[in-house]
Amino acid sequence: AAGVIQSPRHLIKEKRETATLKCYPIPRHDTVYWYQQGPGQDPQFLISFYEKMQSDKGSIPDRFSAQQFSDYHSELNMSSLELGDSALYFCASSSTAEYGYTFGSGTRLTVV
Amino acid sequence: GENVEQHPSTLSVQEGDSAVIKCTYSDSASNYFPWYKQELGKGPQLIIDIRSNVGEKKDQRIAVTLNKTAKHFSLHITETQPEDSAVYFCAAPKGGGATNKLIFGTGTLLAVQP
């Protein structure tokens, strides 16, 4: 079965650079979520989109922005990167037709 | 908003023993309770979930129980195996609805000793 696809798997950036993370949800899933997970921590909700519109917003820094495109894929744009942004970033998708969130394998961002 | 607490933070058991992880939630509107297993460097994988209209669900060695009155739910793993070693997260959605954001517990590091 198709899963949530995230790219890239690993990303190394320098401070103050920008990064773009991509997420391709499961086909026919209408909601996408972004989570940030620091070392030894639980995933923290950043932002979500339902039918290409922002549906909820969590602890996402102003330096970050995200959008969902017409093909339902989503991108998380991160600017002015800081060392503290180093983390695993997960995307998940779900459908209003059924319960169940599926997570991607994540992008490991390292800011040096 | 929803607050999810998870205990214990670490759990070590001998192979073949049972493991129990407990979570409490605060939002009485929450109606869906998944459990995720996360291995090092990987994304959370759904292992079992339960809707609020049932009290227990079982899938082979894994079971989840839900007490809506007390607002707590538990993960039970029987006949543990070394490959069960991982971090386990409980979660609950903020409010009801299939597409509400999930609030995670703080995780339990389960170590199964061979």
Side-chain angles (χ1 to χ4, degrees):
Chain A
V4 176
I5 307 298
Q6 289 188 247
S7 67
R9 286 299 310 275
H10 303 275
L11 191 58
I12 300 176
K13 290 285 186 178
E14 295 187 354
K15 284 193 302 183
R16 293 181 288 278
E17 284 192 319
T18 61
T20 297
L21 279 54
K22 297 185 179 182
C23 170
Y24 297 84
I26 290 175
R28 294 182 297 282
H29 276 194
D30 49 28
T31 306
V32 169
Y33 315 79
W34 285 97
Y35 285 82
Q36 178 191 58
Q37 186 178 31
Q41 298 181 355
D42 55 291
Q44 295 293 312
F45 173 74
L46 293 177
I47 196 167
S48 63
F49 293 87
Y50 168 68
E51 286 290 345
K52 292 157 280 184
M53 297 289 290
Q54 181 181 309
S55 55
D56 201 351
K57 194 172 182 180
S59 51
I60 183 169
D62 292 340
R63 300 177 288 108
F64 294 6
S65 65
Q67 57 181 324
Q68 186 177 31
F69 295 85
S70 58
D71 64 351
Y72 289 91
H73 95 271
S74 178
E75 295 184 2
L76 177 66
N77 298 293
M78 310 159 71
S79 63
S80 302
L81 287 170
E82 302 173 356
L83 296 178
D85 296 328
S86 296
L88 276 168
Y89 290 84
F90 292 106
C91 169
S93 71
S94 68
S95 166
T96 49
E98 59 186 27
Y99 283 86
Y101 302 65
T102 302
F103 281 81
S105 298
T107 294
R108 179 176 293 280
L109 172 67
T110 302
V111 181
V112 297
Chain B
E2 178 71 282
N3 183 45
V4 178
E5 294 189 358
Q6 183 172 347
H7 301 279
S9 57
T10 60
L11 181 59
S12 180
V13 300
Q14 290 295 125
E15 183 177 359
D17 287 350
S18 295
V20 181
I21 304 171
K22 299 181 179 181
C23 284
T24 61
Y25 62 98
S26 61
D27 190 340
S28 57
S30 293
N31 56 2
Y32 170 70
F33 306 93
W35 284 91
Y36 289 88
K37 176 183 181 182
Q38 187 175 25
E39 297 175 323
L40 194 63
K42 297 184 178 180
Q45 282 194 305
L46 179 69
I47 55 172
I48 196 168
D49 55 15
I50 191 168
R51 296 280 301 273
S52 59
N53 56 349
V54 298
E56 183 174 1
K57 183 177 178 181
K58 191 173 182 180
D59 182 5
Q60 300 182 334
R61 297 186 297 109
I62 295 173
V64 55
T65 59
L66 171 65
N67 183 328
K68 280 196 66 179
T69 303
K71 294 184 191 172
H72 67 70
F73 55 113
S74 301
L75 176 70
H76 303 254
I77 306 175
T78 59
E79 300 173 27
T80 53
Q81 301 167 3
E83 50 265 39
D84 294 330
S85 297
V87 178
Y88 291 81
F89 291 99
C90 63
K94 178 186 173 186
T99 54
N100 288 14
K101 67 183 182 187
L102 284 178
I103 305 300
F104 284 83
T106 48
T108 296
L109 175 61
L110 174 63
V112 180
Q113 309 298 331

